Amino acid sequence: MSAPISLDIPHRLGKEGVRARLDGGIGKIGRLIPGGATVEHRWGGDTMHFTIGAMGQSIDAQAMVYEDKVHAIVNLPAFLSLFSSQLEAVIRAEAPKLLK
């Protein structure tokens, strides 16, 4: 497994605002993946744990919610780690849209 993709997404929504946006927007991830994907999530305190399943691969990720940012960690399986730089660019571009 490759090193996880880690990023911070700044916001001014407060924890509750971010939680509501993430709950309402997490399903959008599946539409970004050609052929679609399944997305399952659960909350553990202020951390959303989610799994994205597509094309026979499973990606585990966490989003830790803070008052001024969301810290996300995306763990790629070995096969997808070959495309980690491209996937990181997409994640960095698309992740902030989940908070809008």
Side-chain angles (χ1 to χ4, degrees):
M1 187 166 289
S2 67
I5 296 170
S6 178
L7 67 139
D8 288 328
I9 306 162
H11 68 81
R12 294 187 177 137
L13 303 169
K15 285 184 178 183
E16 291 306 313
V18 168
R19 286 178 64 114
R21 300 271 173 95
L22 288 176
D23 275 334
I26 196 72
K28 294 177 185 176
I29 292 173
R31 294 189 293 272
L32 295 173
I33 299 170
T38 61
V39 181
E40 297 177 3
H41 75 283
R42 66 177 173 77
W43 285 96
D46 288 330
T47 300
M48 175 189 274
H49 302 272
F50 57 103
T51 303
I52 304 160
M55 298 178 274
Q57 301 292 308
S58 181
I59 300 169
D60 293 315
Q62 301 85 41
M64 285 79 64
V65 177
Y66 298 94
E67 285 296 328
D68 60 345
K69 69 179 178 184
V70 174
H71 180 72
I73 300 172
V74 180
N75 299 295
L76 298 175
F79 174 73
L80 292 178
S81 69
L82 299 171
F83 308 100
S84 64
S85 61
Q86 296 95 329
L87 291 169
E88 182 172 357
V90 170
I91 292 167
R92 288 188 181 279
E94 297 297 326
K97 295 177 185 177
L98 292 176
L99 300 182
K100 293 186 180 202

